[in-house]
Amino acid sequence: MPGNRYDRGVSVSTDDERHELLELRYGKGKAPEDLRWNDQIAGLLRHRSVRTYLPDPLPDGTLETLVAAAQSASTSSNLHQWSVVAVTEPELKAKIAATTRMDSMDLENTQINEAPLLLLWVADLSRSHAIATESGDSGDVLEQLDTFLVAATDAALAAQNATVAAESLGLGTVYIGAARNRARELAELIGLPPLSFVSFGLVVGHPDPERPARIRPRPAQELVLHRERYDTSAWREVVEEYEEEFRTFRDDVGLGFKTWRSSVVRMSSGVDLMDGRQNLDETVRARGFLAR
Ligand SMILES: Cc1cc2nc3c(=O)[nH]c(=O)nc-3n(C[C@H](O)[C@H](O)[C@H](O)COP(=O)(O)O)c2cc1C
């Protein structure tokens, strides 16, 4: 798989380098103009998911640094309704990897076994429940949809801070939404208390320089950016233009032909293709969420 120097985390300091990075993100001739820059923004724009790792352990203090970054994220009402389970034992990682299997694609998240660290990000209302009920209160707010969303959002914000910190240290990461495929089994494997569930995983490790991950292009900003009011008219044209970048990226990294639209269709239709995640509602309710 061919790589480019930005795949290896080089600094981005000249205008030419910034332009080149933006073209990797948006496509040739499609880079937005007039962006403001600093090292942090350059780091964010260099992001790519890494699925090939060296087995080397992480330097001492890495986990604690990532957790400090995660805890520095905003957290709804300062309630800290998330947790993270750090898994390094190869046998446990292998069992967890098996729970993330995607039968519909005959694929496993092998990166979980390759990398030295798997972080499991937990939407966690268990402490709030204990504190509320121990003081004689009902804790009934914890059964609401909004509170479920608060915990899942807090976990995501914390994880993304950890991701940015890891990337700034030259490490690679990839999220594992497939951690929800067999949510009940995973909760048992890591001994989660009631009123908590793994929202997603995050693999962390040293990227294998022999198998570099590429920066994946994004659609033009008009797909996601609306000014003052939601505009339903712009996105179809953006999608047409994005198909070209999508195709070029897949050609470059040796993936077979498919359109972006076909990915959307596949992920939007056919509940049996959810690889177990269609049972998540049942699992989270059994774990005490959404009782109202
Ligand atoms: C919540 C979430 C769950 C994801 N789950 C998986 C996963 O289970 N396996 C995987 O290989 N990639 C997973 N990804 C990575 C996405 O496929 C990736 O971010 C996307 O294709 C864009 O590529 P990039 O991150 O390299 O820019 C996940 C990403 C997010 C945000």
Side-chain angles (χ1 to χ4, degrees), residues 58-67 117 166 169 171 204:
L58 299 175
D60 286 349
T62 301
L63 174 61
E64 293 75 11
T65 305
L66 300 189
V67 173
L117 176 64
L169 294 169
L171 298 171
V204 184

Side-chain angles (χ1 to χ4, degrees), residues 216 243 246 250 258-269:
R216 200 179 270 245
E243 291 291 7
F246 188 79
R250 289 186 66 88
K258 72 171 178 182
T259 63
W260 182 74
R261 270 179 180 272
S262 74
S263 301
V264 176
V265 172
R266 187 175 190 283
M267 299 301 286
S268 309
S269 320

